[in-house]
Amino acid sequence: MNIQSAINREVFAPRDERMLVAVEVKRRKRKRVPFLPTGGKGEYMTYICLSVTNKKPAQLLITKVKRFGGSAPFTRRSQWAVEQLRQVNGINPNKDCPEFDLVFDNAFDQWVASSAPEKCIFIQIMYHACQTYWEGKEGVPGSPAGDQQKAPGGQSSPGAQGGQMGGPGPQARRKSTVGPRPRHTEFVNCQSKLTGDACKMNLVVYRCKVFFNRMKKVIVSNQSRSQAGGPRAGPSGQRPPGGSMGSVVQRASQALQERGERLGRAEDKTVDLMHKAQQFADTAHKLALKHSN
């Protein structure tokens, strides 16, 4: 069982929630904590998780989960609703980087993910989950966005008609008691391939990068342990070819990264061509209207 499955089973499933994505992070600027409850000084791992409730209407939540020690259970430390998430800062809109910021109503956290691909996967899934959540929220009756919709049949509501006659109707008075429309989460300094529509291939590429990075870490850790214990001969008296396997993984990871960069450049060119085609279509339409008159 991988880390994300374990977090979902231990932290979110008992609360009737479903985890969408999690990323292991460290603070860019460490906060000075006078003491840690368990695990000793600095012996813990932090995960930022995005989850959704199974009950309707669904709620989108951001949770900070920690794990003290190597085999201790996962602990939920803090949780925010997506309405409290004011901004997601991707730091660098031009290239993949592991740094990102989360700005809440009452908190501001600067994080570094364990790798740039894992951060990109987290930002991409969070962006589309937020878009889906806010689109569904706008169509819910009783919400500020839902109350602004017209009545069936294309006619205005009685409150709107009362306002046109010179005095606010009862519907307008009820609407005045509703708070302002919820503020959508702002995504800044994020690459267009993370927040665009054509992103499924990017997600596959990033998942492959994460897989190769984990394989590389496992191989490096195994090599360091074998070197610490001294060279061990194989059954035939030869040393295991650990270095060749590591070089193969490194070359494959580098090739995959170059392919991802080429894919990103191709996507940017596609978006540019789409804009130019739209401008050309608008110009042709204006010329057609001008000559028809």
Side-chain angles (χ1 to χ4, degrees), residues 168-183:
Q171 181 70 15
R173 286 195 295 270
R174 285 198 299 270
K175 286 171 62 178
S176 63
T177 60
V178 180
R181 181 174 178 175
R183 177 181 58 243

Side-chain angles (χ1 to χ4, degrees), residues 27-47:
R27 291 191 181 276
R28 294 210 303 275
K29 297 180 180 179
R30 276 196 169 276
K31 293 183 178 180
R32 293 186 178 182
V33 182
F35 64 91
L36 291 175
T38 57
K41 184 178 179 180
E43 295 180 0
Y44 65 89
M45 292 181 292
T46 305
Y47 300 88

Side-chain angles (χ1 to χ4, degrees), residues 6-45:
I7 295 176
N8 185 51
R9 179 174 57 85
E10 295 183 16
V11 178
F12 296 102
R15 296 177 175 272
D16 200 20
E17 299 175 15
R18 177 171 54 90
M19 192 185 73
L20 301 179
V21 66
V23 59
E24 183 182 350
V25 295
K26 292 183 179 179
R27 291 191 181 276
R28 294 210 303 275
K29 297 180 180 179
R30 276 196 169 276
K31 293 183 178 180
R32 293 186 178 182
V33 182
F35 64 91
L36 291 175
T38 57
K41 184 178 179 180
E43 295 180 0
Y44 65 89
M45 292 181 292

